[in-house]
Amino acid sequence: MTLSLSGFSRMTSLLSRWLRFRSIDPSWSELNLPETANIVLVLDNNALSDRLALHLLCRKGAIGSVDASLATSGHMPRHVMLHQLKRSFLRSPQNRPSPHFEAFLENIEHHQDDVPVMVVPVAFFWGRRPGREARGLWGLMTADHWPLSGRLRRLTTLLFNGHHIDVRFGTPYDVKALLNAPAPSASHARRRVVRLLRHQFQQLRQQVLGPDLSHRRTLVRSLLMTPSVRQAISAQAEESGAELPHVEKQAQRYAREIASHTSPQTLWLLYQLLGRLWNRLYDGVKVHGLSRVRELAGTHELIYVPCHRSHIDYLLLSYVMYHHGLTTPQVAAGRNLNMPVIGSILRKGGAFFVRRSFKGNALYGAVFNEYLHQLIRRGYPVEYFIEGGRSRTGRTLPPRLGMLAMTLDSFLRKDSSRPMAFVPIYIGYEKVLESGAYQRELTTGHKKKESPFDVLKVFKRLREPYGQVHVNIGAPLRLDDWLNQHFPDPVRTDHHWRKQAVAALGEDLATRINAAATLNGINLVALALLGTSHMAIEEDLLARQLTLLNALQAHAPATQEMRCAEGTPSEWINHAIDLGMIARCDQTLGPVIVVAEGRAPLLTWYRNNVLHLFARPALLAFAFRHRRQLTLGEIDDLVGTMWPALDNEFFLEETDDREESQTLLQAMTALGLLKATDRGWERGATDDNEQLHWLGAMILPTLERGFLLVSLLLRSPSGTYTAQALEQQSQALAERLTLLQGLNAPEYFDKRLFSGLLDTLIEGEWIHMADDDTIVVSQALDDALRQRRRLFDAPLRRRLHHLLAQPEAQESD
């Protein structure tokens, strides 16, 4: 549509009250354009709606002093179109090269001067980002998508989504420098500029809309034609003796079982419903670090790897991305969630389903592997939980490496030009929906099967308070850089390198997730209260301990990514009471805070969410448990060998242990817990000594587990136990110990924790495995236990001695 300059201005004025710009990213000032340059704005095509939006954007002053009118300044236009739309009655609109842009480049070549010409790609997205709660179904139907729209649809888009325009600027380029760069010919240099800008617009659209994913039926059909799946089908037919068409149908059923069927309408409906659900359940969802995702979106294949605390996790993360104008990921969900009704909704919301194990089913593994590769190759963001399942203990679980291995294999196939980046995400709840179920599962050892009727139970809880949710984006892991650093090309000649790389990748990602932990009032109350002897404390002392814990992270943060809690101790205490976690008992001498009835196991879950942040200072505090004064060397002798066990159990970032100890000791001195002396450090006054004792008590369960396992191992001759037998016996003794101590803490005797301790002992060369799979113990381990057993209280040592002396403690496989 061609309009005169006066007609164009009148139409812009007419629409100025209707069109609204919801977001401009990045801002004009962030582009850092030279003040002396000629600025030329570039649109992807000559769509009238985009030209009107650009004209209005300039009139509102959102693009500096640039005027986007149709007039020119000398030989330089204010804006140009990269393409022109070719329309016909029989075909949808098509992009064609713009002769005006070609003329613009030729004009620059003929007017050579010293003034740079900066071209700035600008893209408008109508209705993609749902910044308001109510837009209506028509607004969704006319929102931007990958195929080009006709005039009628563009007009409808302008009417329904004129209040919801998002503006995205691409990277500015000095077009003169590009044209003057070495090239075979002038026409070749001009084509290079066009390709560069076209790629910019594709990146902007992919960042906002996601890639143009084929229809599910087309994707399923293409999966069955790939060489890897064809080979698996042939192998299955040959092995089973079945006819080839029968095996092909089986592969097709697997593909349909796996594949998502993303529907924009369903995404919009879920956004509306979940927005209302969050408002009813939570006091707010706070998102930190989203700029990291924006920097990578459009240029990298994104793999989101959040921690897994609740079924809410994947719904929440998709909601956050949709709300902030980013492509919602394709989410790997367990096949147990593919239930009637619920499974269909999740599938249309972007979920693809995966079985817990591929063992013994090579055909299913080949189909799933290829499906994941197709998602990655096409540039769709993918989300999965490296822990495998939800954490019933509250701590980050050891990574399950299957999905990571398939992702690495896809990356190494190199049929995608986009680099890959993993995005670790920590999700912290003040109260989790499944908390009661977790405690039952840990106690009984049985996991309840999911049912569609579980959704109805959520509605019963809508009146309960659940506090806030924090979503913290950790430091992204760029896979190219990571591989070059840890596994350069010469190392990759070893056939074991891939297995080692996957294990190291899982460890690194778990560490980055933990590094992004966010403290909240419930975490701090749980840490402080569970560190007391009887889970009861005066309210003023609790407030002091909460202040200390938060200040300790402010003085010496465990990681650069973690976030301290917001608010005051009195607010945290009152909030924990409102959530039913603790109770206040009013006494004549002042109120006492106690754990609410039956809530002690639940508080351990919230403590474990962030316990890793305090593991190292707690270990140092524990060293002063029975020693008033210590030098740095003495501290290192007492607890130095325990650092690797902490790093393994809590997925802590690698540091120089001695330097880390000095930093923490200085922070504890600044907070009054310790005093610096000529000999080193000593405990503070009585009140400070009590706070130091509570801090050290946080790490006691971890040290007790290690003390129990090593004591059991050394109780019998070397070569008595296999790893499995030792883990089982340690678990049984730990469970018995919790009963004798009057504790209800199922996570204390989690078998995976004992397995991790054994791995640490093997890595530290304290033990090694014999040819018959029994454990051979070094003398150094016996010496270390004798030296450090005095760290533990005498009653605990006596109780362990009694447990180990019982006949069942001597049994092994």
Side-chain angles (χ1 to χ4, degrees):
M1 182 181 292
T2 303
L3 289 176
S4 65
L5 179 59
S6 59
F8 191 90
S9 298
R10 283 195 298 270
M11 183 173 284
T12 304
S13 300
L14 182 65
L15 292 172
S16 61
R17 295 185 179 182
W18 174 246
L19 301 183
R20 296 287 185 274
F21 300 102
R22 189 177 42 237
S23 70
I24 301 174
D25 185 33
S27 66
W28 185 258
S29 60
E30 290 175 323
L31 295 177
N32 297 319
L33 294 165
E35 295 182 1
T36 58
N38 282 320
I39 309 298
V40 179
L41 304 172
V42 183
L43 291 171
D44 189 16
N45 54 56
N46 61 338
L48 178 61
S49 55
D50 285 358
R51 286 187 289 150
L52 288 169
L54 177 62
H55 193 61
L56 181 61
L57 190 68
C58 293
R59 283 180 54 174
K60 291 180 177 292
I63 307 186
S65 59
V66 175
D67 177 14
S69 69
L70 298 183
T72 61
S73 172
H75 67 278
M76 197 62 58
R78 296 306 189 190
H79 77 279
V80 292
M81 277 66 71
L82 185 63
H83 301 100
Q84 66 177 4
L85 292 177
K86 177 79 172 178
R87 306 177 189 274
S88 72
F89 290 105
L90 300 177
R91 299 181 63 187
S92 59
Q94 303 291 317
N95 264 334
R96 292 289 184 268
S98 169
H100 299 288
F101 190 79
E102 184 76 13
F104 161 68
L105 296 180
E106 290 179 357
N107 202 11
I108 291 178
E109 291 174 339
H110 295 147
H111 292 81
Q112 293 291 342
D113 51 37
D114 295 332
V115 181
V117 178
M118 304 297 296
V119 290
V120 182
V122 54
F124 295 91
F125 298 94
W126 300 72
R128 169 60 185 88
R129 179 183 168 191
R132 296 175 60 179
E133 290 300 317
R135 289 190 306 152
L137 187 58
W138 274 107
L140 171 71
M141 297 299 292
T142 55
D144 264 322
H145 60 307
W146 272 92
L148 296 173
S149 302
R151 284 177 177 151
L152 178 60
R153 185 182 175 103
R154 296 292 294 186
L155 176 61
T156 313
T157 295
L158 188 147
L159 293 175
F160 280 95
N161 289 317
H163 277 28
H164 313 284
I165 308 173
D166 292 296
V167 184
R168 296 289 184 267
F169 290 115
T171 304
Y173 291 104
D174 184 347
V175 71
K176 282 188 176 181
L178 292 174
L179 291 173
N180 292 331
S185 65
S187 61
H188 187 280
R190 291 194 292 270
R191 288 196 300 272
R192 181 170 55 196
V193 174
V194 172
R195 285 196 302 271
L196 190 62
L197 290 173
R198 185 182 294 134
H199 180 63
Q200 280 277 300
F201 283 112
Q202 288 174 343
Q203 285 189 340
L204 292 174
R205 290 182 72 79
Q206 186 151 310
Q207 176 182 344
V208 177
L209 302 177
D212 187 13
L213 190 65
S214 295
H215 191 275
R216 182 169 180 256
R217 285 177 297 181
T218 306
L219 180 57
V220 167
R221 191 182 305 116
S222 66
L223 281 178
L224 301 180
M225 295 296 106
T226 58
S228 60
V229 175
R230 296 305 306 172
Q231 184 178 356
I233 290 173
S234 299
Q236 177 78 5
E238 183 178 348
E239 181 180 344
S240 64
E243 295 182 357
L244 198 62
H246 175 77
V247 181
E248 288 175 344
K249 288 182 179 179
Q250 181 64 55
Q252 188 177 56
R253 284 194 293 269
Y254 286 152
R256 288 174 176 169
E257 173 191 313
I258 294 166
S260 68
H261 192 187
T262 308
S263 162
Q265 291 83 358
T266 301
L267 285 174
W268 176 78
L269 287 172
L270 284 173
Y271 172 77
Q272 301 293 319
L273 293 172
L274 291 175
R276 287 165 172 76
L277 179 63
W278 305 151
N279 290 333
R280 292 296 299 271
L281 280 178
Y282 304 117
D283 296 333
V285 178
K286 294 196 172 183
V287 183
H288 314 281
L290 201 62
S291 59
R292 287 174 156 168
V293 179
R294 294 192 185 280
E295 290 173 3
L296 295 171
T299 60
H300 286 68
E301 166 58 30
L302 297 183
I303 309 293
Y304 295 106
V305 282
C307 62
H308 201 10
R309 305 285 196 257
S310 168
H311 278 315
I312 296 296
D313 296 340
Y314 38 80
L315 298 174
L316 181 63
L317 190 56
S318 293
Y319 173 87
V320 166
M321 296 305 167
Y322 192 91
H323 181 74
H324 288 278
L326 293 161
T327 306
T328 55
Q330 299 287 292
V331 185
R335 195 176 65 156
N336 57 311
L337 295 177
N338 192 13
M339 301 173 284
V341 182
I342 301 299
S344 178
I345 294 173
L346 293 177
R347 196 185 295 276
K348 290 186 177 181
F352 61 96
F353 295 97
V354 54
R355 299 182 179 185
R356 292 295 181 189
S357 174
F358 302 173
K359 190 175 182 180
N361 195 339
L363 179 60
Y364 178 88
V367 173
F368 184 87
N369 203 340
E370 188 61 36
Y371 177 77
L372 180 63
H373 175 66
Q374 290 299 322
L375 289 181
I376 292 173
R377 187 180 67 83
R378 295 167 186 237
Y380 226 85
V382 174
E383 174 192 340
Y384 53 75
F385 303 99
I386 60 173
E387 296 170 89
R390 291 166 293 156
S391 173
R392 270 67 172 180
T393 63
R395 64 176 76 232
T396 299
L397 301 177
R400 301 285 184 88
L401 303 178
M403 292 289 287
L404 283 176
M406 287 185 281
T407 305
L408 180 61
D409 287 343
S410 176
F411 175 77
L412 295 174
R413 285 169 68 167
K414 295 295 184 185
D415 53 355
S416 174
S417 59
R418 284 155 52 91
M420 180 181 290
F422 288 89
V423 182
I425 302 174
Y426 175 87
I427 303 176
Y429 298 90
E430 291 185 336
K431 186 177 179 181
V432 72
L433 276 172
E434 302 97 327
S435 55
Y438 288 167
Q439 297 308 309
R440 289 192 298 272
E441 291 173 17
L442 278 171
T443 303
T444 64
H446 299 293
K447 178 180 179 294
K448 180 182 176 296
K449 187 178 180 180
E450 281 79 7
S451 165
F453 298 104
D454 291 339
V455 178
L456 301 178
K457 297 178 182 178
V458 175
F459 295 103
K460 296 180 181 179
R461 302 177 184 175
L462 291 181
R463 296 184 182 275
E464 299 179 24
Y466 284 87
Q468 287 186 337
V469 184
H470 289 267
V471 179
N472 194 17
I473 313 294
L477 185 152
R478 291 171 171 82
L479 189 53
D480 257 329
D481 297 339
W482 187 88
L483 284 174
N484 290 333
Q485 178 183 354
H486 297 279
F487 296 90
D489 286 336
V491 177
R492 298 184 201 179
T493 56
D494 182 354
H495 65 281
H496 294 297
W497 85 269
R498 177 185 167 277
K499 183 177 180 180
Q500 296 169 354
V502 172
L505 183 60
E507 190 87 11
D508 198 335
L509 290 174
T511 301
R512 290 176 187 239
I513 291 171
N514 268 0
T518 301
L519 285 172
N520 60 48
I522 304 302
N523 299 145
L524 291 173
V525 167
L527 284 164
L529 203 51
L530 294 177
T532 61
S533 300
H534 302 288
M535 291 181 285
I537 186 175
E538 292 89 342
E539 185 168 352
D540 59 333
L541 290 181
L542 176 59
R544 284 189 59 203
Q545 189 70 0
L546 296 177
T547 302
L548 169 72
L549 294 178
N550 211 34
L552 184 58
Q553 290 301 324
H555 276 73
T559 71
Q560 296 302 312
E561 313 298 327
M562 66 82 54
R563 300 183 68 87
C564 291
E566 300 172 353
T568 64
S570 61
E571 292 173 348
W572 301 332
I573 293 171
N574 290 330
H575 189 46
I577 293 173
D578 292 340
L579 294 180
M581 302 291 179
I582 60 176
R584 179 186 283 116
C585 299
D586 293 321
Q587 301 288 321
T588 305
L589 299 178
V592 174
I593 301 298
V594 299
V595 177
E597 185 177 357
R599 293 295 189 179
L602 181 56
L603 281 179
T604 63
W605 193 91
Y606 296 102
R607 177 198 64 187
N608 290 345
N609 285 181
V610 296
L611 182 58
H612 62 279
L613 298 178
F614 295 91
R616 284 168 172 159
L619 181 61
L620 293 179
F622 191 82
F624 286 89
R625 194 177 183 89
H626 300 298
R627 301 282 291 272
R628 180 166 187 81
Q629 191 174 57
L630 290 169
T631 65
L632 187 60
E634 289 170 336
I635 292 172
D636 191 48
D637 289 339
L638 276 175
V639 299
T641 55
M642 299 180 184
W643 289 106
L646 294 188
D647 292 350
N648 185 295
E649 180 169 332
F650 294 109
F651 299 106
L652 301 177
E653 295 177 341
E654 289 186 7
T655 60
D656 182 291
D657 294 343
R658 195 175 183 86
E659 183 178 331
E660 179 77 2
S661 295
Q662 285 183 309
T663 301
L664 289 171
L665 289 167
Q666 291 168 1
M668 293 162 73
T669 302
L671 294 172
L673 294 176
L674 298 172
K675 290 182 179 179
T677 67
D678 294 339
R679 282 197 73 242
W681 287 268
E682 66 177 25
R683 295 191 306 232
T686 304
D687 289 345
D688 297 326
N689 185 30
E690 191 170 31
Q691 287 189 286
L692 186 70
H693 180 84
W694 290 333
L695 177 60
M698 293 181 190
I699 204 64
L700 183 57
T702 296
L703 301 182
E704 282 181 352
R705 276 191 298 268
F707 185 55
L708 185 151
L709 182 141
V710 174
S711 298
L712 179 62
L713 182 61
L714 294 174
R715 190 78 179 175
S716 302
S718 183
T720 300
Y721 285 103
T722 64
Q724 183 179 6
L726 183 63
E727 290 169 13
Q728 291 175 347
Q729 191 67 23
S730 299
Q731 184 185 22
L733 288 174
E735 184 174 3
R736 188 174 183 86
L737 183 62
T738 60
L739 293 173
L740 292 172
Q741 291 179 331
L743 301 176
N744 183 11
E747 62 93 18
Y748 183 90
F749 46 87
D750 187 349
K751 184 178 179 181
R752 284 171 293 195
L753 298 178
F754 292 104
S755 176
L757 282 169
L758 274 179
D759 291 340
T760 302
L761 292 175
I762 293 173
E763 290 172 8
E765 298 182 353
W766 300 97
I767 62 175
H768 69 271
M769 306 303 296
D771 294 337
D772 60 353
D773 291 333
T774 58
I775 300 173
V776 179
V777 184
S778 71
Q779 181 61 40
L781 184 62
D782 193 10
D783 296 339
L785 180 65
R786 294 178 185 278
Q787 181 182 0
R788 292 163 182 79
R789 67 192 314 268
R790 293 286 180 185
L791 285 170
F792 298 91
D793 296 333
L796 173 64
R797 298 201 306 269
R798 288 195 295 270
R799 180 159 287 167
L800 283 176
H801 178 77
H802 175 71
L803 284 174
L804 293 168
Q806 296 181 39
E808 59 265 29
Q810 303 292 335
E811 295 178 2
S812 69
D813 290 344

